Amino acid sequence: MQKWKSVASALGSARVKAVGPTTLRAHRMTAANLAGLREAPLSWRRPVRSVSHVRAISCTSGIWAKRNADDKHDEDESSKPSRRRKGGGEGAKVGPESSSSTALVASKGKGSVSEVMVQRDRSGLGDSSSTELVSNDPNWLPKEVIVIPVFRRPVFPGIATPIALTDPELCEAILRLKNQYGSNLYVGLFLAKNQREREDNKLIKSVDEVHEIGCLGQVVHIQGVNQMGMQLLIAGTGRVLITGAAKTEPFLTVNIERCIDKPFDSNDKVIKAYMLEIMATVKSIVKLEHFFKEQLQTILTQVNVQNPAHLADITTSMTTSDRGSLQSVLEEFDIQDRLAKALRLLKIELEQAEVQKTIQNQMEDNVSKMQRKHFLTEQLKIIKKELGMEVDEKEDLVRKMTSKLAEINPPPNAEKVIQEQLKKISMLEPSSPEFSMTRTYLDWLVAIPWGVSTADTLDVLGARDILDSDHHAMKDVKDRILEFIAVGVLKGTVQGKIICLNGPPGVGKTSIGKSIASSLGREFFRFSVGGMTDVSEIKGHRRTYVGAMPGKIVQALKTAGSNNPVIMLDEIDKLGRGYQGDPASALLEVLDPSQNKDFVDHYIDVPIDLSQCLFVCTSNALDTIPGPLRDRMEVIQVSGYTADDKLEIARKHLLPKAREDAGLKTGNSIVSDAALRTLIIKYCREPGVRNLQKQIEKMFRKIAFELATKQSSKVTVNDSNLEKFVGAPIFPKDRIFDSTPTGVVMGLAWTSLGGVSLFIETVAVAPSEKAALRCTGQMGDVMKESTEIAFSFARRWLHEHEPTNDFFDKNQIHMHIPEGATPKDGPSAGITMTTTLLSLAMGKPVRQKLAMTGEMSLTGSVLPVGGIKEKVLASQRAGVDTVILPVDNKRDWEELDDKTRELTRVHFASTYRDVFDIAFSEDKVVSAARKAPKKVVKAKGKAEAKVDPVESEDP
């Protein structure tokens, strides 16, 4: 549509005389003549046949004004005889040479021609075609012309086109020719076969690079002559054919001949019909473009409808068609076919105008609806405001914030910030981006529960009942919470604490946090810090960032609605560290009682008191928690459950929940205690109950399937049919060895998943001239050192007590710890390794159902180890009834509950002599036990423990 606008704008300013070969010679148009076209009369000496538009272009020295020019072929021109083309290509000439032909003057060097602006912005590729009808008029047609290629669209006769030249040598040649010939300076405008950008200054040196049919152009005006080049206004005068190349240096010059249209009958009905249809199509386009209606109607009055050739050229040049389609019209000499092609292009233009008009109407409708809605909305707001039904958004916001501020009790520094923000938002416009940021900040400031606390339930017995009903066992955790409440009863207030529950997975560390909050009557908020790598998750983002928000601590206070909630930081031992900072370091301030009373979040930027909060952290291993962070927490070990504990948990908690989730009832699904115990012993030996819960859920799904398929109306699971519901046992045997052989001893180890029992095996591989020991089983560096210490001590012990036994000196020994795929490390297997080496050397097995743990020094001292509770529970799961522990771990044994200690007989050893006597003197121990009554060792505040009489003889 831009083309139509340009044509309309130009046509509204002036009407110009037609320019033809004869009249151009008779009337030499100078720059002054062209500049005066705006004031030209409506008609000159000859009637106006066509109008073409010269678009305004920008140049260095000035701006082309919009001008109009007409072109008309002499009516006598169509009656001249035509000749067939006899030659073509480079150097071909047709007709006699004329000595008066225009001579070209050019300087040495290469020329460059680039089109600055043509009449269309769209272009395409077109194929050249030849014609057999040519004319050679030496009276006005120059024999040689300079080739100025056009790249976007061809130039039609009767159209004035601005062209920019940038090559200095070509510009100099044009100026010389202009000074010499004045208005009789002609150039050839030919469409290049390959479209290029205007910045591409590569010269065209061959006629093969342009279409052979183009337009002869008369240079009517030159403007903007400077170092950057100059601008030419060239008027198309007629179609010409390249007959050959005259020169190629410094720029392309060709020989041309005039192309004559085929004879036609202007009264032919078909031609008239085409012309009428073209006029109707143009009028339709005018109707779609109301803004240019008057200008486009002027074109219709200026075009001579009796000249179909001129009508086809003018209307085709007004379209936005591609360069190939336009070139095909230029190369068409059959008037009827030319009119048909022009009509086809106009129809395409009409369709585009209709689509554009449809889009425009749709956009106008949408805009109108939006404007109408906006207008009505504004009116409604004003009406509501006048009636008192609605208040101003900003005033309402300030009122709500002020009322919220009255409900809380912020400290002076926080209240000062809130008042400043209220004053700031009252001066901002609601449409301002700063308004929304300030509003969000104010929302967070007033959402923090400043001074709002929940009343603590200071009832020790009531809290005990709540903890016991929610969780079985976990005595240490329950006692610590009850102590916490007891202190609050005496002081009348409860201060915040930081507790860390450390233990294997599935023992209820996370779930007990809710019970703690319930027993205290506080709100509970939990979030996991496992894998957290961004400090902003704890400390919040700066308000300068887009989408900034406070950290998890402030979010916990907002969610809880009080300043003393129970906040659980789950998986604190799995904190990450990335380029955003170290969250563990950020937690130092949060979990420090002396610092968290003035905790500053980056977003809130106001000190917040966290001293009333009770922080409960959970972890599986303490060694991955940074030391400074671990020192700020009170660590409570949560060990695994015994088989009896698991049985009780399954009865009270797991079975009812799983039965309800499966849609079953107690009457149609029965699980016996024997089945549960077998499930615990042979399927679920892990310290926690998570796997036990999965197995029970699996069992109830099988029961639900049988009931749903009508296989039975009631299902009972007992020890005999348990495999039908949960599959084959994972642990078919309690121990690897039913009877411990020579060279094998059971040890106890601790892992992050709880305690485990493991056998250490030694065998003599082959005789050897010197002592040799080989170890396998994925041992770590510390455990490898323990094997070396054990081997050295065993050789010395055997040499002292059995001097004649040279087993270690003459055999190569292999030590292995089963489950080789599991990495193992630690010093607690020292006495176990020594015992298995001596058992192999003496050929004597240790007593049955015996397990031991303890680190041993090179001199034979038994050193204390950790994880006693987990190891004792692991020995019970393995069916062991006797355990040897270091004497320094007696306090850990005494902290165990009564039921755990009743199931295991313990022996404490201070030196390896004690271990040796217990491991290899079963008969002596038994006989001594029969003769002497058992002594009772009673720990302060603890239940009685069974101690073997041999133990009492330890120094």
Side-chain angles (χ1 to χ4, degrees):
M1 290 302 105
Q2 186 63 30
K3 176 61 181 178
W4 298 102
K5 295 179 183 179
S6 302
V7 172
S9 177
L11 289 177
S13 61
R15 299 175 183 176
V16 192
K17 172 187 173 185
V19 180
T22 304
T23 56
L24 283 175
R25 184 180 299 106
H27 302 278
R28 297 176 179 270
M29 297 183 65
T30 63
N33 299 139
L34 189 63
L37 288 179
R38 289 184 179 274
E39 292 75 29
L42 294 179
S43 62
W44 281 5
R45 179 172 55 85
R46 301 183 64 176
V48 177
R49 297 287 184 88
S50 64
V51 182
S52 64
H53 171 236
V54 181
R55 294 181 61 184
I57 64 170
S58 176
C59 59
T60 306
S61 61
I63 301 176
W64 285 98
K66 294 183 177 179
R67 296 179 176 88
N68 299 313
D70 290 332
D71 187 14
K72 173 184 175 295
H73 290 300
D74 287 342
E75 295 178 1
D76 297 337
E77 199 67 33
S78 61
S79 62
K80 291 184 179 182
S82 61
R83 297 176 55 190
R84 288 188 178 272
R85 178 181 177 186
K86 297 182 179 180
E90 189 172 352
K93 299 181 180 179
V94 178
E97 298 183 1
S98 174
S99 59
S100 61
S101 299
T102 303
L104 299 179
V105 180
S107 302
K108 296 181 179 180
K110 296 182 178 180
S112 175
V113 179
S114 62
E115 182 183 1
V116 170
M117 182 172 292
V118 294
Q119 297 141 345
R120 295 293 176 272
D121 293 333
R122 303 178 185 176
S123 60
L125 295 176
D127 298 330
S128 63
S129 61
S130 61
T131 178
E132 297 180 354
L133 300 174
V134 296
S135 174
N136 190 4
D137 185 5
N139 294 326
W140 68 273
L141 184 68
K143 185 179 67 172
E144 298 177 357
V145 292
I146 298 174
V147 173
I148 297 181
V150 291
F151 298 100
R152 295 186 178 178
R153 45 189 298 123
V155 179
F156 286 86
I159 304 298
T161 303
I163 300 292
L165 301 180
T166 57
D167 183 74
E169 297 179 350
L170 182 59
C171 293
E172 184 180 355
I174 294 295
L175 288 176
R176 289 178 183 176
L177 293 175
K178 182 66 176 176
N179 293 333
Q180 181 179 356
Y181 296 101
S183 297
N184 284 338
L185 174 59
Y186 291 90
V187 295
L189 303 176
F190 296 92
L191 182 67
K193 292 182 179 180
N194 296 324
Q195 184 181 4
R196 300 203 305 256
E197 294 294 333
R198 291 182 296 180
E199 290 77 7
D200 187 0
N201 293 324
K202 183 180 179 182
L203 290 176
I204 290 180
K205 292 291 187 177
S206 172
V207 294
D208 295 333
E209 299 183 37
V210 295
H211 291 274
E212 60 181 355
I213 295 179
C215 183
L216 182 65
Q218 181 184 10
V219 181
V220 296
H221 185 64
I222 300 177
Q223 184 173 342
V225 180
N226 52 39
Q227 296 180 353
M228 301 298 296
M230 63 182 181
Q231 290 78 30
L232 309 179
L233 182 62
I234 302 176
T237 61
R239 291 172 171 80
V240 291
L241 172 71
I242 296 177
T243 59
K247 298 178 182 179
T248 58
E249 294 293 341
F251 34 74
L252 181 63
T253 305
V254 297
N255 300 320
I256 60 173
E257 289 184 354
R258 173 73 68 179
C259 298
I260 305 301
D261 295 333
K262 292 182 180 180
F264 64 92
D265 184 5
S266 59
N267 295 322
D268 184 82
K269 294 182 179 181
V270 177
I271 293 179
K272 284 189 175 182
Y274 272 119
M275 295 175 64
L276 292 175
E277 184 62 24
I278 289 175
M279 299 296 294
T281 305
V282 173
K283 290 180 181 179
S284 299
I285 298 176
V286 170
K287 292 179 181 179
L288 294 175
E289 292 291 337
H290 299 286
F291 182 74
F292 307 104
K293 181 176 181 180
E294 295 181 359
Q295 290 83 347
L296 293 176
Q297 285 179 345
T298 303
I299 293 178
L300 301 179
T301 60
Q302 294 299 320
V303 173
N304 184 7
V305 296
Q306 300 300 325
N307 190 340
H310 203 178
L311 178 63
D313 289 344
I314 293 298
T315 54
T316 300
S317 65
M318 294 168 60
T319 65
T320 58
S321 303
D322 59 272
R323 63 200 300 267
S325 301
L326 297 176
Q327 180 66 23
S328 65
V329 176
L330 184 65
E331 295 176 354
E332 184 58 60
F333 300 106
D334 187 280
I335 300 303
Q336 181 175 332
D337 293 341
R338 187 187 301 174
L339 288 171
K341 292 181 178 180
L343 180 59
R344 182 178 62 84
L345 298 181
L346 286 173
K347 290 294 184 182
I348 296 175
E349 198 75 21
L350 178 60
E351 291 179 1
Q352 294 178 355
E354 291 175 347
V355 173
Q356 181 180 358
K357 188 66 175 179
T358 302
I359 297 174
Q360 182 180 356
N361 292 337
Q362 292 177 353
M363 295 299 296
E364 288 177 354
D365 292 342
N366 294 335
V367 172
S368 298
K369 291 179 181 179
M370 294 175 61
Q371 290 177 346
R372 183 171 179 272
K373 183 178 180 181
H374 177 72
F375 179 73
L376 294 176
T377 302
E378 293 298 324
Q379 280 188 333
L380 183 61
K381 287 183 179 179
I382 295 175
I383 293 172
K384 287 185 176 181
K385 189 174 182 180
E386 292 294 332
L387 295 176
M389 300 172 61
E390 183 176 309
V391 297
D392 184 74
E393 179 183 359
K394 185 167 58 177
E395 295 178 358
D396 184 53
L397 176 63
V398 174
R399 181 180 58 81
K400 289 181 179 179
M401 293 295 178
T402 305
S403 62
K404 287 183 179 180
L405 181 61
E407 297 174 0
I408 58 179
N409 184 25
N413 52 356
E415 186 175 3
K416 179 181 178 181
V417 174
I418 295 175
Q419 294 292 349
E420 290 176 354
Q421 295 298 319
L422 285 173
K423 183 178 179 181
K424 176 182 177 181
I425 202 172
S426 63
M427 296 185 295
L428 295 173
E429 291 296 329
S431 59
S432 172
E434 187 71 17
F435 182 86
S436 61
M437 295 175 61
T438 306
R439 178 174 181 173
T440 305
Y441 182 46
L442 265 175
D443 287 337
W444 276 105
L445 282 174
V446 299
I448 297 175
W450 305 100
V452 179
S453 304
T454 56
D456 291 322
T457 304
L458 302 178
D459 183 4
V460 179
L461 298 179
R464 183 191 296 274
D465 294 338
I466 294 175
L467 294 174
D468 290 339
S469 62
D470 293 343
H471 290 79
H472 182 76
M474 304 185 74
K475 185 176 183 300
D476 293 343
V477 181
K478 294 178 181 178
D479 289 345
R480 182 63 186 87
I481 301 303
L482 295 177
E483 293 169 2
F484 178 75
I485 297 174
V487 173
V489 171
L490 299 179
K491 293 184 61 177
T493 181
V494 178
Q495 296 294 324
K497 293 294 180 181
I498 297 93
I499 298 173
C500 179
L501 305 179
N502 181 69
V507 295
K509 299 186 299 297
T510 303
S511 60
I512 200 173
K514 295 181 180 180
S515 300
I516 293 174
S518 178
S519 62
L520 291 173
R522 295 189 177 190
E523 298 295 331
F524 178 75
F525 183 87
R526 172 198 167 273
F527 69 96
S528 177
V529 296
M532 184 181 293
T533 59
D534 192 355
V535 174
S536 300
E537 293 290 332
I538 303 296
K539 301 274 289 183
H541 302 81
R542 304 282 182 183
R543 292 200 306 276
T544 54
Y545 298 111
V546 176
M549 62 185 303
K552 288 291 187 180
I553 304 300
V554 176
Q555 295 180 35
L557 295 177
K558 177 185 176 182
T559 304
S562 63
N563 64 354
N564 62 340
V566 176
I567 301 177
M568 173 166 282
L569 281 66
D570 214 356
E571 309 293 348
I572 198 171
D573 58 326
K574 300 174 181 62
L575 275 171
R577 184 173 184 175
Y579 66 93
Q580 299 97 337
D582 185 9
S585 300
L587 285 174
L588 293 177
E589 180 185 3
V590 177
L591 301 181
D592 192 339
S594 62
Q595 298 183 34
N596 60 13
K597 61 181 179 181
D598 293 321
F599 171 73
V600 178
D601 185 272
H602 290 161
Y603 183 86
I604 301 299
D605 204 19
V606 176
I608 302 173
D609 185 9
L610 300 179
S611 61
Q612 301 298 320
C613 299
L614 175 59
F615 291 95
V616 179
C617 307
T618 67
S619 65
N620 297 127
L622 295 176
D623 54 350
T624 57
I625 303 177
L629 183 61
R630 186 170 61 248
D631 292 341
R632 285 165 166 77
M633 300 184 294
E634 180 181 351
V635 180
I636 299 177
Q637 293 292 339
V638 183
S639 303
Y641 297 110
T642 63
D644 292 337
D645 291 336
K646 289 184 178 181
L647 181 62
E648 194 67 22
I649 293 172
R651 287 174 180 170
K652 292 183 178 180
H653 304 282
L654 301 183
L655 283 178
K657 184 177 184 302
R659 183 179 283 113
E660 181 182 357
D661 293 342
L664 301 174
K665 297 180 180 180
T666 308
N668 58 8
S669 57
I670 301 174
V671 181
S672 65
D673 291 346
L676 286 177
R677 188 172 294 277
T678 303
L679 187 67
I680 294 170
I681 295 174
K682 294 188 177 182
Y683 294 84
C684 309
R685 288 189 178 180
E686 69 283 347
V689 294
R690 189 167 294 158
N691 189 37
L692 178 60
Q693 179 182 1
K694 294 178 182 178
Q695 295 293 341
I696 292 175
E697 291 174 352
K698 178 180 179 181
M699 181 171 54
F700 278 121
R701 287 196 302 268
K702 298 284 187 180
I703 296 174
F705 178 78
E706 289 191 7
L707 296 177
T709 56
K710 308 297 183 180
Q711 297 180 19
S712 59
S713 59
K714 179 180 179 181
V715 179
T716 301
V717 181
N718 49 42
D719 193 18
S720 60
N721 63 350
L722 180 63
E723 293 188 16
K724 174 183 175 182
F725 296 95
V726 294
I730 301 175
F731 307 100
K733 300 174 64 176
D734 293 339
R735 303 168 59 182
I736 299 178
F737 303 100
D738 295 332
S739 177
T740 306
T742 302
V744 176
V745 179
M746 179 185 290
L748 300 174
W750 178 92
T751 67
S752 60
L753 302 179
V756 294
S757 60
L758 49 86
F759 285 93
I760 300 181
E761 306 171 337
T762 54
V763 295
V765 179
S768 175
E769 296 181 356
K770 60 178 181 179
L773 177 65
R774 181 187 178 192
C775 300
T776 56
Q778 286 242 39
M779 300 183 188
D781 293 337
V782 177
M783 184 170 280
K784 288 179 181 179
E785 292 180 356
S786 296
T787 60
E788 295 176 3
I789 294 174
F791 188 56
S792 299
F793 182 83
R795 292 181 63 190
R796 194 192 73 175
W797 176 274
L798 191 63
H799 178 71
E800 292 178 354
H801 293 79
E802 295 186 9
T804 60
N805 192 338
D806 56 355
F807 179 82
F808 290 126
D809 298 330
K810 296 183 178 181
N811 288 279
Q812 182 180 356
I813 301 171
H814 186 176
M815 179 182 293
H816 176 68
I817 303 178
E819 296 186 14
T822 304
K824 310 168 190 69
D825 202 1
S828 62
I831 61 174
T832 311
M833 293 177 178
T834 305
T835 304
T836 187
L837 288 171
L838 291 176
S839 173
L840 178 65
M842 296 186 301
K844 183 178 180 181
V846 298
R847 64 189 294 179
Q848 301 300 313
K849 295 185 178 181
L850 172 69
M852 60 185 70
T853 181
E855 180 181 359
M856 195 179 70
S857 67
L858 193 59
T859 58
S861 299
V862 179
L863 305 180
V865 294
I868 295 301
K869 182 176 181 179
E870 289 81 0
K871 293 178 180 180
V872 171
L873 294 177
S875 67
Q876 293 177 0
R877 290 194 295 269
V880 173
D881 58 6
T882 305
V883 176
I884 300 177
L885 301 177
V887 69
D888 291 337
N889 287 117
K890 182 179 291 188
R891 58 183 179 84
D892 298 315
W893 167 263
E894 293 173 352
E895 290 179 356
L896 300 179
D897 58 272
D898 300 342
K899 197 168 186 179
T900 302
R901 291 185 293 175
E902 288 175 359
L903 297 175
T904 303
R905 180 182 297 274
V906 66
H907 300 274
F908 296 103
S910 60
T911 64
Y912 185 74
R913 181 69 194 184
D914 303 329
V915 177
F916 184 86
D917 292 342
I918 298 169
F920 295 101
S921 304
E922 183 175 0
D923 295 338
K924 177 182 177 181
V925 172
V926 173
S927 61
R930 292 174 180 172
K931 293 179 181 179
K934 294 181 180 179
K935 296 183 180 181
V936 176
V937 178
K938 188 172 183 180
K940 185 177 181 180
K942 300 292 181 178
E944 299 177 356
K946 293 187 294 183
V947 181
D948 198 285
V950 175
E951 180 194 19
S952 62
E953 299 175 1
D954 293 342

